[in-house]
Amino acid sequence: MSKIPMTTPLVEMDGDEMTRILWKMIKEELILPYVDLKTEYYDLGLENRDKTADQVTIDSAEATKKYGVAVKCATITPNVQRMSEYNLHEMWKSPNGTIRAILDGTVFRTPITVSLIHPAVRSWEKPITIARHAYGDVYKNTEIRTKEGGTAELVFTSDSGEVTRQVIQKLDGPGVFQGMHNKESSIRSFAHSCFQYALDTRQSLWFGTKDTISKIYDGAFKEIMADVFEEYKDRFEEAGIEYFYTLIDDAVARVIRSKGGFIWACKNYDGDVMSDMVSTAFGSLAMMTSVLVSPDGVYEYEAAHGTVTRHYYRYLKGEKTSTNPVATIFAWTGALRKRGEMDGILELQEFADKLEKACLDTIESGVMTKDLALLADPDTVPIQTVDSEDFLKAIRERLEA
Ligand code: NAP
Ligand code: MG
């Protein structure tokens, strides 16, 4: 059988620990036998990031801009303990943060659903994708806690020297204060990424803020989204999808009552909190995909989970682990499909569909990793818990058949 050809390389970002082990297994078992794989390889493993003073992360992001599609393995974000574990020269920043800053993108997270695992919310029939605006607000704030009373003011000095001053609050005792900001350009990028992704996936887009209370700050988000939507209105109509704005609390209530099958755009904090709720309610972090979409149409695919350190330490002791590779496989299929779309290679798109179906069918047949076995409904089929290697073999058998 001849392998599926590729014309443009994928940017391949290798990573750390258990996911690095899975990465190699997935490629060897499920991709290389079928695809004449072209990648430009960047080793984002912590050792190589340290060796290159993190230049490799920047290079991989620049390559993604050049080629348009990347697939990324989970990576360690170093902390104090990792400094000694890996003998690091510096506590390097989160690679995802660095890549996001260079690509200026929005992260979309979607649960992979299977019928054996019932969402905690009974009405949900289709996945809900969370689009989190990942710049500013409380994540880039300044805070003050005072020991006595006094007056806090918000002062803005414009580049031309004009000063705007407002009293935040006059307190007669100790208190806390917080100053945060956002950039109009970042909100605009977010809007473009969201509308573009909604069109790509043919799903409606919901957005909510608290603009009744925060008339200027949240009001700006509402206004800019509506303004950018004007550019997409006709294409939305053609695709039969809608842009729906409502207050954030109303959005939360409607999400719970909904059947799913839409994209929920969230401000930074809402996205942080709600993505954990949505992923847990759908089942497991090990079944969550994540894609970074830049406003100029560059895509970086990954799994939403981390490097699964606890499993890796067991692996190092020679134990076989039952680590779930599905989200990492879907990162590969997402990237291959997008490459296929961009280069007009239908076979590559079909291969991505087949591989995803083989994963889901394997699980539906009752063969799965331990994390899923704990969640699956045992009433329909007998559940067989397997290690990662046997799970990948079972997927391969389905793919061959
Ligand atoms: P994690 O790697 O996601 O793992 C947390 C726990 O979730 C695991 O111990 C495991 O539970 C379960 N889990 C996650 N993925 C799984 C999978 N595929 N199959 C089965 N179980 C899975 O998060 P973490 O332990 O907080 O972080 C570990 C490292 O990953 C850190 O160094 C962090 O910096 C990094 N990280 C990277 C990314 C990224 O690159 N995008 C994201 C998050 C974290 P049990 O042990 O109970 O089985
Ligand atoms: Mg969170």
Side-chain angles (χ1 to χ4, degrees):
M1 199 183 78
S2 66
K3 293 188 188 181
I4 300 164
M6 286 179 68
T7 47
T8 317
L10 274 181
V11 176
E12 176 182 354
M13 304 170 173
D14 207 345
D16 289 300
E17 299 193 313
M18 203 59 221
T19 39
R20 189 180 179 98
I21 308 294
L22 291 177
W23 193 260
K24 191 162 174 280
M25 284 163 55
I26 291 166
K27 274 174 70 179
E28 284 172 1
E29 193 74 41
L30 299 176
I31 300 183
L32 292 172
Y34 308 102
V35 179
D36 191 13
L37 188 67
K38 277 197 173 63
T39 73
E40 197 164 289
Y41 180 85
Y42 293 86
D43 183 1
L44 265 55
L46 187 50
E47 273 167 28
N48 194 47
R49 272 183 278 147
D50 192 52
K51 210 166 89 189
T52 62
D54 211 23
Q55 186 59 40
V56 66
T57 307
I58 295 163
D59 292 346
S60 73
E62 292 298 342
T64 305
K65 269 186 159 171
K66 176 174 161 196
Y67 292 113
V69 188
V71 56
K72 180 179 171 292
C73 180
T75 46
I76 293 170
T77 298
N79 54 16
V80 179
Q81 183 239 319
R82 300 291 196 177
M83 292 292 288
S84 49
E85 183 183 352
Y86 283 82
N87 231 323
L88 299 179
H89 292 95
E90 224 178 273
M91 205 188 293
W92 306 109
K93 284 193 195 146
S94 149
N96 284 21
T98 304
I99 295 166
R100 211 175 292 155
I102 294 173
L103 299 182
D104 181 24
T106 299
V107 175
F108 296 85
R109 295 202 154 174
T110 311
I112 302 160
T113 52
V114 284
S115 70
L116 286 178
I117 296 170
H118 308 301
V121 178
R122 263 175 299 155
S123 60
W124 288 356
E125 290 167 10
K126 288 181 185 167
I128 295 167
T129 297
I130 298 258
R132 173 180 169 189
H133 180 220
Y135 178 84
D137 297 356
V138 74
Y139 302 87
K140 226 174 162 53
N141 72 354
T142 40
E143 305 184 331
I144 300 172
R145 182 168 182 177
T146 61
K147 289 204 169 73
E148 54 177 328
T151 304
E153 289 180 298
L154 189 60
V155 183
F156 174 71
T157 311
S158 78
D159 287 343
S160 58
E162 198 183 316
V163 176
T164 314
R165 187 181 287 266
Q166 276 181 27
V167 172
I168 297 169
Q169 189 65 284
K170 204 178 159 113
L171 291 184
D172 55 12
V176 282
F177 299 92
Q178 183 177 68
M180 53 185 205
H181 80 284
N182 222 297
K183 295 193 292 191
E184 183 160 339
S185 61
S186 173
I187 303 168
R188 264 183 205 283
S189 292
F190 174 62
H192 281 289
S193 297
C194 286
F195 293 129
Q196 193 56 55
Y197 194 72
L199 281 173
D200 273 6
T201 59
R202 280 185 170 262
Q203 296 181 93
S204 289
L205 184 84
W206 294 19
F207 182 52
T209 73
K210 197 71 186 174
D211 70 287
T212 44
I213 302 297
S214 170
K215 290 189 167 60
I216 295 180
Y217 198 102
D218 279 17
F221 277 80
K222 179 184 177 183
E223 236 178 75
I224 293 168
M225 286 290 275
D227 184 43
V228 174
F229 180 60
E230 286 304 310
E231 288 177 45
Y232 292 86
K233 215 173 186 166
D234 294 346
R235 279 175 282 166
F236 264 54
E237 212 162 286
E238 258 169 56
I241 57 176
E242 60 164 2
Y243 170 54
F244 173 59
Y245 177 86
T246 186
L247 282 174
I248 184 66
D249 33 4
D250 182 48
V252 170
R254 283 173 190 264
V255 163
I256 294 294
R257 289 198 305 265
S258 77
K259 292 188 170 158
F262 55 88
I263 300 161
W264 184 11
C266 291
K267 284 180 65 200
N268 212 347
Y269 178 81
D270 298 336
D272 183 351
V273 177
M274 289 303 159
S275 70
D276 283 6
M277 187 201 66
V278 168
S279 69
T280 308
F282 269 106
S284 133
L285 199 59
M287 294 288 279
M288 191 89 171
T289 63
S290 181
V291 56
L292 175 73
V293 181
S294 85
D296 42 355
V298 168
Y299 296 76
E300 183 235 303
Y301 293 84
E302 63 173 332
H305 60 77
T307 59
V308 212
T309 311
R310 279 177 32 184
H311 293 211
Y312 182 59
Y313 291 157
R314 273 187 259 141
Y315 169 87
L316 288 180
K317 283 192 218 146
E319 283 176 43
K320 287 205 166 189
T321 70
S322 186
T323 318
N324 188 340
V326 170
T328 307
I329 297 172
F330 274 59
W332 274 98
T333 52
L336 289 170
R337 183 184 296 110
K338 183 54 75 180
R339 198 64 274 168
E341 281 169 24
M342 284 182 172
D343 297 346
I345 307 171
L346 194 62
E347 273 177 290
L348 204 53
Q349 299 170 47
E350 286 170 354
F351 172 73
D353 295 343
K354 278 183 206 153
L355 179 49
E356 287 181 0
K357 188 167 185 308
C359 288
L360 300 178
D361 287 350
T362 303
I363 298 170
E364 300 283 7
S365 78
V367 178
M368 61 191 79
T369 47
K370 194 175 153 198
D371 56 307
L372 295 184
L374 294 170
L375 301 167
D377 177 0
D379 292 340
T380 28
V381 285
I383 307 292
Q384 190 191 340
T385 310
V386 291
D387 61 41
S388 307
E389 225 177 302
D390 285 344
F391 183 59
L392 290 173
K393 283 209 180 88
I395 297 171
R396 169 104 185 242
E397 274 166 28
R398 293 222 162 235
L399 198 57
E400 299 276 345

